[in-house]
Amino acid sequence: MKKFIALVLAMVMALSLFAGCAKEEPTATTAAPAGDTTTAATTAAPEEGVEPIEDLILAKTYGLETFAIWNTEGANTRGILINLYEGLLDNDNKSQSIPAIAKSWGSEDGNVTWKFELRDDAKWVDVNGAEKAPVVAADFATGMEYMLNFHKNGGHNTPKLIEFVKGCKEYYEYTQSLEPAEAMALTAGEGSKFMEMVGIETPDEHTVIYTCLKPTPYFDSLAQTTSFYPIPQGMIDEIGVENLNGL
């Protein structure tokens, strides 16, 4: 009798186990083609007369701190904003310099002085894509003045400028010595203290020249960085320098 009861209990337990492992009826899925290693996604049947979405682009905004790329050093924010701004140069998939706003560049004195010739079709646009102004050489001087002005930028993205471009260290320290209001009023206009002290020249609207502290054969790679990005004086005049970092 004991053996019979034990056998019955064992059969009941086995039946319970098999019942627990029973599979549910499969739901409708998109089948992956043969050889496709992607995971098939569960989908609902499309409504009649509604076209299915084939391309969906989602903006990555996680970690975005500001739209003022010149005032951030965060990798997450910069990783997003570099797709919204253009600098002098960019790089290809082999890390070679390629044109961006500058169409040509080079040095003729042993890599001390570097000249960049700008495109004439680069434009500043607003949030709606409406053209506001052409990108000109003076915008790169304005951007550098902003970067190096302690009371405007607080020292963000300044190391590459201070380490490689003539007069940048001295100008940065000069702005530190000023009262905030006095420093905020500075510009990179013709005859300004900035143009007098710093190794940047804008002889015409489409030429920017930098003078390095020493021969720098890799200056074109430095020119790809945020430190050398332009800022239009017209935007500063419109929104106010005190609001520039709050974009």
Side-chain angles (χ1 to χ4, degrees):
M1 179 61 70
K2 290 182 179 178
K3 290 182 179 180
F4 176 75
I5 293 173
L7 178 60
V8 171
L9 289 174
M11 291 176 67
V12 172
M13 292 176 64
L15 287 171
S16 299
L17 178 62
F18 288 137
C21 294
K23 295 181 179 179
E24 296 179 0
E25 289 297 317
T27 55
T29 61
T30 54
D36 192 348
T37 58
T38 57
T39 303
T42 301
T43 59
E47 295 179 23
E48 187 175 350
V50 176
E51 298 219 355
I53 296 175
E54 295 181 355
D55 295 310
L56 179 62
I57 300 175
L58 299 177
K60 175 186 173 185
T61 57
Y62 175 77
L64 185 63
E65 302 165 342
T66 176
F67 279 98
I69 192 171
W70 44 83
N71 190 244
T72 181
E73 294 173 340
N76 286 338
T77 296
R78 188 163 50 209
I80 299 170
L81 296 184
I82 57 174
N83 296 296
L84 305 179
Y85 292 84
E86 194 80 275
L88 282 167
L89 303 176
D90 205 337
N91 60 76
D92 60 18
N93 58 5
K94 296 181 180 179
S95 296
Q96 300 298 310
S97 297
I98 58 175
I101 294 178
K103 62 183 180 180
S104 63
W105 62 94
S107 175
E108 297 179 351
D109 64 353
N111 300 312
V112 174
T113 302
W114 281 77
K115 179 188 289 187
F116 295 82
E117 296 291 342
L118 309 183
R119 294 160 33 204
D120 59 7
D121 60 347
K123 307 291 183 182
W124 290 105
V125 297
D126 63 16
V127 67
N128 297 311
E131 291 185 7
K132 300 288 285 186
V135 179
V136 295
D139 298 338
F140 289 89
T142 298
M144 182 176 279
E145 194 283 326
Y146 181 88
M147 295 284 189
L148 291 171
N149 192 313
F150 174 78
H151 291 285
K152 292 181 182 180
N153 193 36
H156 293 98
N157 298 301
T158 58
K160 289 184 178 66
L161 298 173
I162 288 173
E163 186 174 351
F164 292 101
V165 180
K166 182 180 178 182
C168 287
K169 181 175 183 292
E170 290 76 9
Y171 187 78
Y172 179 76
E173 292 174 346
Y174 166 70
T175 63
Q176 275 186 306
S177 69
L178 301 177
E179 292 297 319
E182 188 178 2
M184 296 283 271
L186 295 173
T187 70
E190 185 177 351
S192 64
K193 190 72 172 179
F194 172 79
M195 296 301 289
E196 176 188 321
M197 295 180 67
V198 178
I200 183 173
E201 300 172 58
T202 56
D204 58 59
E205 286 194 344
H206 299 105
T207 305
V208 185
I209 302 172
Y210 298 93
T211 300
C212 301
L213 290 168
K214 58 185 178 182
T216 310
Y218 47 87
F219 189 80
D220 57 329
S221 64
L222 297 174
Q224 301 169 18
T225 64
T226 308
S227 302
F228 292 84
Y229 272 31
I231 301 175
Q233 184 63 45
M235 180 175 70
I236 297 176
D237 295 340
E238 182 178 336
I239 68 174
V241 66
E242 67 279 3
N243 297 318
L244 200 58
N245 293 339
L247 293 177

